């Protein structure tokens, strides 16, 4: 349904006056559970919309991903890309399916194409524990694991993924690219965030082995010198896998290259209940895409059991990023509603050991948004 306008925008609003701000949101449900979880985020957006009298949302849905590729040969049609480029923000489910591949055998990864083409260099992955029962570690209660990963999104070990390969060659190489500009901007983003939080940044690298990582650390050190009130820590990526399990409460902001960030953010999601609990945002200087950290989860797609919390929290990140006083307030309201809903152990989807369906969880959060103190 390319470019279809979703119903319900501004449903409870008076006729738009000159001081009402309209945000245009491109909605990309994608494949697998993408559509199921995005529907719940849209439900929550519609629930908070009447509480933002100065704001309207115009949502336009676009078909992207593996199903679109099978239909039309392109997982990210140009019209959908252009809609994302000019939108105020993009809300994305998940794209790609293991069974649908390019002729060379690689999976379709239009979400990475979107990041790179829109220069969404800052991969923001907040990790927060909402209930002790979601954590596989002992002795951690709600809020006691609370950090954010800043993953460099446009270079690192993913940088040569589209390089031509010689068929039949006896070796294959991938380049880990770190540029000064790329490293500086992700480090600055991490330090700016730390100033709003607990003022600590942990660099994760492999500077004991790789020259690219020595360079990344040198850039980090130069940026760190500009933020004298922020404590810093430098950890090798292998040790970080250990420390995330042993002492996750000691981290505040973590900054790292693309591939390390990809891997560590799945590990980190495991600390707070799994992929269904981990939101994310891919942010550039002018555009941003908000999506759960998880993929299309083909193993549970179509069963109505996916946890929509990661996508709902990604919606909250979007509302915060839109930077309007009312959307920022709505973002807090949604996070507060998620916290309040998950405080009751009866409110759990299957991945968290409960029985709620995707839509039941979405209904609970949407209803709670109207009453929560935030
Ligand atoms: P990708 O490489 O596309 O990011 P992935 O390999 O990380 O994907 P996911 O699709 O994220 O894989 O799924 C990993 C596991 O997490 C699967 O067992 C899946 O069922 C589970 N999972 C992912 N998202 C959810 C969700 N929203 N609710 C419940 N379980 C989920």
């Amino acid at each position: 349904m390319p470019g279809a306008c979703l119903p319900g925008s501004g449903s409870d609003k008076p006729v738009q006056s000159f001081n009402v701000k309209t945000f245009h949101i491109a909605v990309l449900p994608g494949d697998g559970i993408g559509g199921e979880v995005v529907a719940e985020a849209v439900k929550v957006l519609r629930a908070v919309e009447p509480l933002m009298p100065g704001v309207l949302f115009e949502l336009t849905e676009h078909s992207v991903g593996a199903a679109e590729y099978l239909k039309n040969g392109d997982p990210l049609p140009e019209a959908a890309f252009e809609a994302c480029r000019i939108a105020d923000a993009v809300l994305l489910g998940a794209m790609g399916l293991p069974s649908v591949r390019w002729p060379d055998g690689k999976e379709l990864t239009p979400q990475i194409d979107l990041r790179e083409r829109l220069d969404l260099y800052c991969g923001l992955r907040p990790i927060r524990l909402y209930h002790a029962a979601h954590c596989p570690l002992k002795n951690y209660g709600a809020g006691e694991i609370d950090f954010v990963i800043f993953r460099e999104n446009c270079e690192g070990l993913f940088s040569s993924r589209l390089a031509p390969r010689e068929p039949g060659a006896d070796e294959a190489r991938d380049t880990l690219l770190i540029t000064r500009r790329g490293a500086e901007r992700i480090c600055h983003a991490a330090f700016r965030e730390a100033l709003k939080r607990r003022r600590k940044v942990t660099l994760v690298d492999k500077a004991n082995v790789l020259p690219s990582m020595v360079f990344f650390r040198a850039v980090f050190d130069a940026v760190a010198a500009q933020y004298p009130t922020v404590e810093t820590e430098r950890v090798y990526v292998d040790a970080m896998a250990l420390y995330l399990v042993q002492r996750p409460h000691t981290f505040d902001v973590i900054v790292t290259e693309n591939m390390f960030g990809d891997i560590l953010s799945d590990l980190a999601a495991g600390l707070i209940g799994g992929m269904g609990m981990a939101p994310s945002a891919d942010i550039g200087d002018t555009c941003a895409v908000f999506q759960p950290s998880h993929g299309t989860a083909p193993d549970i797609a179509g069963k109505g059991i996916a946890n929509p919390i990661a996508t709902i929290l990604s919606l909250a990140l979007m509302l915060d990023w839109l930077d309007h006083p009312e959307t920022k307030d709505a973002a807090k309201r949604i996070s507060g509603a998620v916290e309040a809903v998950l405080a009751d152990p009866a409110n759990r989807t299957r991945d968290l050991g409960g029985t709620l369906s995707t839509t039941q969880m979405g209904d609970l959060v949407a209803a709670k948004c109207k009453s929560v103190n935030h």
Side-chain angles (χ1 to χ4, degrees):
M1 211 173 31
C5 260
L6 296 177
S9 182
S11 48
D12 296 347
K13 300 285 175 67
V15 174
Q16 185 172 356
S17 69
F18 66 91
N19 57 357
V20 173
K21 167 79 183 156
T22 300
F23 288 108
H24 299 274
I25 310 297
V27 178
L28 314 182
D31 304 303
I33 61 170
E36 300 169 46
V37 292
V38 161
E40 300 313 306
V42 170
K43 183 189 285 174
V44 170
L45 178 61
R46 293 308 185 205
V48 293
E49 200 178 7
L51 305 170
M52 295 182 269
V55 173
L56 282 172
F57 289 92
E58 193 179 283
L59 308 189
T60 316
E61 189 172 311
H62 302 272
S63 171
V64 292
E68 177 62 25
Y69 170 76
L70 290 176
K71 258 189 283 162
N72 297 314
D74 185 354
L76 184 61
E78 211 42 43
F81 173 76
E82 184 56 17
C84 294
R85 196 184 63 75
I86 62 174
D88 290 303
V90 179
L91 181 64
L92 168 64
M95 297 195 263
L97 291 172
S99 56
V100 182
R101 290 171 183 262
W102 292 110
D104 70 359
K106 276 201 310 262
E107 259 188 60
L108 311 175
T109 48
Q111 67 280 16
I112 303 179
D113 301 333
L114 194 57
R115 264 177 223 157
E116 291 177 357
R117 290 182 66 190
L118 293 175
D119 200 22
L120 308 177
Y121 60 88
C122 181
L124 192 70
R125 307 284 177 97
I127 295 292
R128 181 180 162 81
L129 180 63
Y130 280 94
H131 195 287
H134 303 168
C135 184
L137 308 177
K138 281 183 241 148
N139 303 327
Y140 282 102
E144 289 178 357
I145 297 175
D146 184 0
F147 59 83
V148 53
I149 297 174
F150 277 69
R151 166 186 175 185
E152 201 297 316
N153 256 347
C154 293
E155 40 189 56
L157 197 49
F158 284 23
S159 66
S160 61
R161 69 190 181 92
L162 298 177
R165 308 282 147 158
E166 230 176 89
D170 287 329
E171 63 172 56
R173 292 177 190 211
D174 295 305
T175 303
L176 201 170
L177 172 73
I178 304 289
T179 66
R180 185 177 302 283
R181 173 174 175 263
E184 275 177 352
R185 62 186 184 173
I186 191 69
C187 289
H188 275 295
F191 277 94
R192 282 196 301 268
E193 181 69 13
L195 289 176
K196 294 189 248 158
R197 296 175 51 100
R198 303 194 303 278
R199 292 180 178 244
K200 179 176 173 188
V201 178
T202 302
L203 169 72
V204 176
D205 63 26
K206 192 69 183 167
N208 51 338
V209 177
L210 300 175
S212 60
M213 294 282 96
V214 173
F215 179 67
F216 193 35
R217 187 175 284 208
V219 174
F220 174 86
D221 289 345
V223 172
Q226 299 171 45
Y227 299 85
T229 61
V230 178
E231 182 193 344
T232 58
E233 181 180 34
R234 292 148 189 79
V235 178
Y236 300 137
V237 63
D238 42 345
M240 191 62 177
L242 177 76
Y243 297 154
L244 276 176
V245 175
Q246 286 182 333
R247 53 173 178 92
H249 59 285
T250 65
F251 299 109
D252 180 24
V253 176
I254 294 166
V255 63
T256 191
E257 75 86 34
N258 203 340
M259 176 85 155
F260 295 167
D262 186 30
I263 296 168
L264 292 179
S265 48
D266 273 30
L267 191 164
L271 299 173
I272 56 164
M275 300 310 295
M277 294 299 295
S280 91
D282 295 327
I283 300 175
D285 289 332
T286 54
C287 300
V289 174
F290 299 84
Q291 64 176 115
S293 285
H294 60 73
T296 52
D299 52 336
I300 57 166
K303 298 182 179 163
I305 58 172
N307 183 349
I309 294 291
T311 316
I312 291 169
L313 290 173
S314 303
L315 167 72
L317 291 176
M318 181 185 95
L319 292 171
D320 187 59
W321 182 81
L322 286 172
D323 208 23
H324 182 287
E326 292 182 12
T327 62
K328 286 182 100 61
D329 182 71
K332 287 200 195 106
R333 182 179 286 279
I334 293 170
S335 309
V338 167
E339 189 147 3
V341 165
L342 293 176
D344 180 347
N347 297 334
R348 298 282 180 276
T349 41
R350 300 260 184 109
D351 52 320
L352 301 176
T355 56
L356 292 187
S357 68
T358 309
T359 53
Q360 285 170 329
M361 180 58 96
D363 288 343
L364 282 177
V365 176
K368 187 55 87 178
C369 280
K370 294 176 184 155
S371 62
V372 73
N373 286 323
H374 58 289

